[in-house]
Amino acid sequence: MTTPTRDNALEDMEIELLLEGIHRHYGYDFRNYALSSLRRRIRDRVQAEQLRTVSGLKEKVLHDPACMERLLLSLSVNVSAMFRDPGLYRAIRSAVVPLLRTYPFIRIWHAGCSTGEEVYSMAIVLQEEGLYDRCRLYATDMNEAVLRTARAGLFPLAAMKAYTANYLQAAGTAEFSRYYTVSHDRAMFNPALKKNVVFAQHNLAMDGPFNDFHLIVCRNVMIYFDKTLRARVHALFLESLVRFGFLCLGSKETIRHTHVETEYAAFDAREKIYRRIR
Amino acid sequence: MAYQLVVVGTSLGGFEALTVLLGGLPANFPLPLAVVQHRGSSVEEPSSGVDLPLLLQRHAELTIADAEDKDALLPGRVYLAPVGYHLLVEEGSVALSTDRPVWHARPSIDVLFESAADVYGAATIGLALTGSSQDGAAGLARIKRQGGLAIVQQPATSASRVLPDAALKGTEVDWTVPLGEIAPLLRRLLGSPASESPTGL
Ligand SMILES: C[S@@+](CC[C@H](N)C(=O)[O-])C[C@H]1O[C@@H](n2cnc3c(N)ncnc32)[C@H](O)[C@@H]1O
């Protein structure tokens, strides 16, 4: 359909070779990530390493593990926030929680949890709804570095003002400041919130199912994947959800036009909450 | 080469400019339009309650919506970059990302324009409207380098001329036109045989 200019075609080929090399040598699989944003991050890295071409980056990455570490950091986008999209948490509280209550024991999977803000947000909602003790939350990410932050439950104090506003909009029922203590410029979240949380490394591009879940939350992760990898992850989630289980996507993601579309009903179309129907 | 995509970037004064531009295009406009309007709010701030697509829709026949990840790019549709996300294009579809802001902006105009230049090359029409930062100038230059068409709102008719000025400085644009004439120009360009386009593509 489009004819990329020669330069571009060459660069795209170099990117393909770089990703293939990383996969073969280091075992990280970025081959099915969405190309446009990936291309940008790789170009940034080429510049930051003061190289001229993606091929130059490939050579350096393959022979210098420290350079691979840096590339890995710049390839992963880890932004997150507590109670981001407050409407989602309101909907979980008012519509999903009442249905989860009917199970004696509830398993929740946060896939691509990054530094854990979503997990602590969910834990707070479950606690306020008196459901936390019957839940186990599995918080996974491919990146061990972000999982360390998530485990620690330490977030920048400067973010608390915005998080408090989000929490109130999310129909929080307590004082938000009750959930953390301040140490220096960090907010340390109450360890009771992670009592039932299992943090573990899991790569959605490579690893398989590991449990059955009543709720899977995977937000702003599949936007980094191409359609092939997204389809793989949807197949994995379908396999991992109990019948009538819930799937939450990011506010600008949709299940429409995927091969699992007919397996789900839109439970809350606006907040991107889907429910498995068979 | 036949054009396949229009990308539009604007910030301060953008709402008025978009109502004029989009309002001047017919429902059967032959190309998709991807639009970045700086919308203030960052991820950490609670998003403002303003429903930009709905407000713009009142002025336009085209179908306007916030882009959702991997939406197919269809003619006559306007894909707005959502608050807090970069908007990019892939072949035939849009893509979103929460990569770090560029020029303090997410969405960033440069990010959209550069991805359009990479993927659609000479089939891209880039449009820089009123704006109060340089975001978009580098992207427009890239579209031009890849053989696409560069159009800039005439600085004198722009609520803020920082972006138009930077765009004109950064690249040899094909057209500099007053706001009200941009939609008629697009209609003319796309209604006429490709050989009449100023770049002779
Ligand atoms: C933008 S963050 C999303 C954080 C959070 N879910 C939110 O929406 O606020 C994307 C996360 O996906 C993770 N990720 C990317 N590729 C992955 C993969 N193949 N398997 C597991 N996690 C992945 C990244 O490490 C990053 O932490």
Side-chain angles (χ1 to χ4, degrees), chain A residues 30 41 71-78 142-143 146:
Chain A
F30 289 104
R41 281 175 234 128
L71 177 63
L72 208 53
L73 273 181
S74 48
L75 288 188
S76 55
V77 182
N78 300 121
M142 69 167 181
N143 184 338
V146 293

Side-chain angles (χ1 to χ4, degrees), chain A residues 29-30 33 75-82 84-85 89 110-118 140-144 146 201-207 217-225 229 233 250 253, chain B residues 43 85 98-99:
Chain A
D29 194 351
F30 289 104
Y33 277 50
L75 288 188
S76 55
V77 182
N78 300 121
V79 290
S80 193
M82 291 189 75
R84 184 181 184 187
D85 305 317
Y89 293 93
H110 284 269
C113 68
S114 190
T115 36
E117 286 84 342
E118 278 180 350
T140 66
D141 201 283
M142 69 167 181
N143 184 338
E144 188 52 50
V146 293
Q201 199 169 20
H202 181 279
N203 191 323
L204 293 166
M206 302 163 74
D207 300 329
V217 181
C218 184
R219 311 186 72 229
N220 303 310
V221 179
M222 286 187 273
I223 59 176
Y224 297 101
F225 299 169
L229 182 50
V233 176
E253 295 173 82
Chain B
V43 196
Y85 291 86
T98 53
D99 283 55

Side-chain angles (χ1 to χ4, degrees), chain A residues 2-3 8 35-36 39-41 43-44 77 79 162 220 222-225 230 252 256 272, chain B residues 1 4 43-44 46 66 68-70 85 89-91 96 98-100 114 118-120 142 146:
Chain A
T2 55
T3 26
N8 257 12
L35 189 57
S36 281
R39 196 191 272 123
R40 241 196 112 76
R41 281 175 234 128
R43 280 183 188 153
D44 284 353
V77 182
V79 290
N220 303 310
M222 286 187 273
I223 59 176
Y224 297 101
F225 299 169
R230 179 178 63 168
K252 299 299 167 191
R256 271 181 292 123
K272 304 297 159 64
Chain B
M1 168 186 280
Q4 296 178 351
V43 196
E44 287 75 23
D66 268 350
E68 289 196 331
D69 186 55
K70 296 179 181 57
Y85 291 86
V89 296
E90 303 274 1
E91 243 175 76
L96 300 178
T98 53
D99 283 55
R100 63 184 167 67
E114 284 171 23
D118 287 335
V119 178
Y120 282 87
R142 189 175 192 98
Q146 300 285 77

Side-chain angles (χ1 to χ4, degrees), chain B residues 101-118:
Chain B
V102 173
W103 294 108
H104 305 291
R106 185 171 62 219
S108 142
I109 303 169
D110 276 340
V111 170
L112 171 64
F113 282 15
E114 284 171 23
S115 79
D118 287 335

